[in-house]
mmCIF file of all heavy atoms in Angstrom:
data_model
loop_
_atom_site.group_PDB
_atom_site.id
_atom_site.type_symbol
_atom_site.label_atom_id
_atom_site.label_comp_id
_atom_site.label_asym_id
_atom_site.label_seq_id
_atom_site.Cartn_x
_atom_site.Cartn_y
_atom_site.Cartn_z
ATOM 1 N N GLY A 128 246.879 231.618 232.584
ATOM 2 C CA GLY A 128 248.007 230.896 231.983
ATOM 3 C C GLY A 128 249.138 230.593 233.044
ATOM 4 O O GLY A 128 250.177 230.226 232.648
ATOM 5 N N MET A 129 248.694 230.603 234.281
ATOM 6 C CA MET A 129 249.770 230.327 235.277
ATOM 7 C C MET A 129 249.592 228.900 235.772
ATOM 8 O O MET A 129 248.909 228.596 236.672
ATOM 9 C CB MET A 129 249.491 231.295 236.561
ATOM 10 C CG MET A 129 249.684 232.770 236.166
ATOM 11 S SD MET A 129 249.465 233.659 237.666
ATOM 12 C CE MET A 129 249.616 235.392 236.986
ATOM 13 N N GLY A 130 250.451 228.052 235.181
ATOM 14 C CA GLY A 130 250.448 226.667 235.635
ATOM 15 C C GLY A 130 250.960 225.670 234.533
ATOM 16 O O GLY A 130 251.133 226.140 233.392
ATOM 17 N N SER A 131 251.142 224.466 234.916
ATOM 18 C CA SER A 131 251.705 223.494 233.995
ATOM 19 C C SER A 131 250.938 222.222 233.944
ATOM 20 O O SER A 131 251.404 221.187 233.407
ATOM 21 C CB SER A 131 253.204 223.082 234.428
ATOM 22 O OG SER A 131 253.818 224.309 234.795
ATOM 23 N N SER A 154 249.894 225.659 230.321
ATOM 24 C CA SER A 154 248.539 226.042 230.776
ATOM 25 C C SER A 154 247.458 225.851 229.669
ATOM 26 O O SER A 154 246.259 225.894 229.961
ATOM 27 C CB SER A 154 248.554 227.519 231.182
ATOM 28 O OG SER A 154 248.859 228.344 230.060
ATOM 29 N N GLU A 173 248.343 229.461 223.790
ATOM 30 C CA GLU A 173 249.216 230.663 224.100
ATOM 31 C C GLU A 173 250.367 230.062 224.955
ATOM 32 O O GLU A 173 250.146 229.313 225.802
ATOM 33 C CB GLU A 173 248.383 231.654 224.814
ATOM 34 C CG GLU A 173 249.142 232.748 225.544
ATOM 35 C CD GLU A 173 249.618 232.305 226.983
ATOM 36 O OE1 GLU A 173 248.960 231.456 227.540
ATOM 37 O OE2 GLU A 173 250.661 232.821 227.348
ATOM 38 N N ASP A 174 251.521 230.595 224.540
ATOM 39 C CA ASP A 174 252.781 230.021 225.177
ATOM 40 C C ASP A 174 253.568 231.202 225.680
ATOM 41 O O ASP A 174 254.053 232.031 224.977
ATOM 42 C CB ASP A 174 253.609 229.326 224.020
ATOM 43 C CG ASP A 174 254.694 228.466 224.575
ATOM 44 O OD1 ASP A 174 255.513 229.032 225.274
ATOM 45 O OD2 ASP A 174 254.842 227.277 224.236
ATOM 46 N N THR A 175 253.671 231.344 227.038
ATOM 47 C CA THR A 175 254.422 232.300 227.732
ATOM 48 C C THR A 175 255.753 231.758 228.165
ATOM 49 O O THR A 175 256.720 232.358 228.315
ATOM 50 C CB THR A 175 253.635 232.881 228.911
ATOM 51 O OG1 THR A 175 252.389 233.426 228.405
ATOM 52 C CG2 THR A 175 254.416 233.983 229.668
ATOM 53 N N GLY A 176 255.629 230.421 228.561
ATOM 54 C CA GLY A 176 256.767 229.676 229.070
ATOM 55 C C GLY A 176 256.461 228.173 228.842
ATOM 56 O O GLY A 176 256.566 227.438 229.798
ATOM 57 N N GLY A 177 256.054 227.846 227.642
ATOM 58 C CA GLY A 177 255.868 226.392 227.391
ATOM 59 C C GLY A 177 254.395 225.973 227.269
ATOM 60 O O GLY A 177 254.155 224.768 227.049
ATOM 61 N N SER A 178 253.448 226.900 227.434
ATOM 62 C CA SER A 178 252.053 226.437 227.556
ATOM 63 C C SER A 178 251.441 225.910 226.240
ATOM 64 O O SER A 178 250.426 225.297 226.303
ATOM 65 C CB SER A 178 251.249 227.594 228.005
ATOM 66 O OG SER A 178 251.350 227.717 229.406
ATOM 67 N N LEU A 206 249.650 237.870 229.971
ATOM 68 C CA LEU A 206 250.233 237.349 231.144
ATOM 69 C C LEU A 206 251.586 238.115 231.293
ATOM 70 O O LEU A 206 251.706 238.897 232.133
ATOM 71 C CB LEU A 206 250.341 235.828 230.983
ATOM 72 C CG LEU A 206 251.179 235.075 232.143
ATOM 73 C CD1 LEU A 206 250.587 235.409 233.493
ATOM 74 C CD2 LEU A 206 251.175 233.561 231.928
ATOM 75 N N TYR A 309 263.112 233.137 234.317
ATOM 76 C CA TYR A 309 261.763 233.144 233.738
ATOM 77 C C TYR A 309 260.604 233.533 234.773
ATOM 78 O O TYR A 309 259.858 234.395 234.597
ATOM 79 C CB TYR A 309 261.448 231.763 233.108
ATOM 80 C CG TYR A 309 259.994 231.490 232.786
ATOM 81 C CD1 TYR A 309 259.410 232.155 231.664
ATOM 82 C CD2 TYR A 309 259.186 230.848 233.687
ATOM 83 C CE1 TYR A 309 258.045 231.923 231.438
ATOM 84 C CE2 TYR A 309 257.827 230.718 233.485
ATOM 85 C CZ TYR A 309 257.285 231.221 232.383
ATOM 86 O OH TYR A 309 255.897 231.109 232.054
ATOM 87 N N TYR A 310 260.755 232.759 235.914
ATOM 88 C CA TYR A 310 259.681 232.979 236.922
ATOM 89 C C TYR A 310 259.814 234.393 237.561
ATOM 90 O O TYR A 310 258.691 235.015 237.765
ATOM 91 C CB TYR A 310 259.657 231.861 238.020
ATOM 92 C CG TYR A 310 258.816 230.720 237.479
ATOM 93 C CD1 TYR A 310 259.335 229.604 236.873
ATOM 94 C CD2 TYR A 310 257.417 230.867 237.500
ATOM 95 C CE1 TYR A 310 258.554 228.567 236.437
ATOM 96 C CE2 TYR A 310 256.545 229.805 237.015
ATOM 97 C CZ TYR A 310 257.113 228.723 236.416
ATOM 98 O OH TYR A 310 256.350 227.690 235.980
ATOM 99 N N LEU A 313 258.350 236.706 235.083
ATOM 100 C CA LEU A 313 256.884 236.513 234.970
ATOM 101 C C LEU A 313 256.170 237.123 236.103
ATOM 102 O O LEU A 313 255.216 237.881 235.922
ATOM 103 C CB LEU A 313 256.657 234.978 234.911
ATOM 104 C CG LEU A 313 255.125 234.633 234.808
ATOM 105 C CD1 LEU A 313 254.839 233.433 233.847
ATOM 106 C CD2 LEU A 313 254.491 234.392 236.124
ATOM 107 N N ARG A 359 251.796 234.760 242.769
ATOM 108 C CA ARG A 359 252.641 235.365 241.783
ATOM 109 C C ARG A 359 252.571 236.879 241.875
ATOM 110 O O ARG A 359 253.524 237.543 241.604
ATOM 111 C CB ARG A 359 252.306 234.809 240.343
ATOM 112 C CG ARG A 359 252.601 233.353 240.201
ATOM 113 C CD ARG A 359 252.430 232.890 238.826
ATOM 114 N NE ARG A 359 252.664 231.404 238.638
ATOM 115 C CZ ARG A 359 252.916 230.755 237.567
ATOM 116 N NH1 ARG A 359 253.104 231.475 236.457
ATOM 117 N NH2 ARG A 359 253.021 229.477 237.589
ATOM 118 N N ASP A 426 258.790 222.692 233.961
ATOM 119 C CA ASP A 426 258.895 223.586 232.839
ATOM 120 C C ASP A 426 260.302 223.740 232.445
ATOM 121 O O ASP A 426 260.650 224.557 231.406
ATOM 122 C CB ASP A 426 258.443 225.025 233.163
ATOM 123 C CG ASP A 426 256.934 225.093 233.563
ATOM 124 O OD1 ASP A 426 256.210 224.089 233.194
ATOM 125 O OD2 ASP A 426 256.489 226.096 234.128
HETATM 126 N N1 LIG B 1 254.090 226.706 233.256
HETATM 127 C C1 LIG B 1 254.216 228.084 232.867
HETATM 128 C C2 LIG B 1 253.855 229.001 233.990
HETATM 129 O O1 LIG B 1 253.296 228.455 234.927
HETATM 130 C C3 LIG B 1 253.398 228.273 231.686
HETATM 131 C C4 LIG B 1 253.087 229.771 231.279
HETATM 132 C C5 LIG B 1 252.505 229.849 229.970
HETATM 133 O O2 LIG B 1 253.089 229.523 228.977
HETATM 134 N N2 LIG B 1 251.283 230.452 229.836
HETATM 135 O O3 LIG B 1 254.221 230.080 234.035
#
Side-chain angles (χ1 to χ4, degrees):
M129 298 182 184
S131 313
S154 64
E173 162 275 335
D174 192 309
T175 301
S178 281
L206 173 54
Y309 165 80
Y310 273 100
L313 180 143
R359 294 189 187 200
D426 297 343

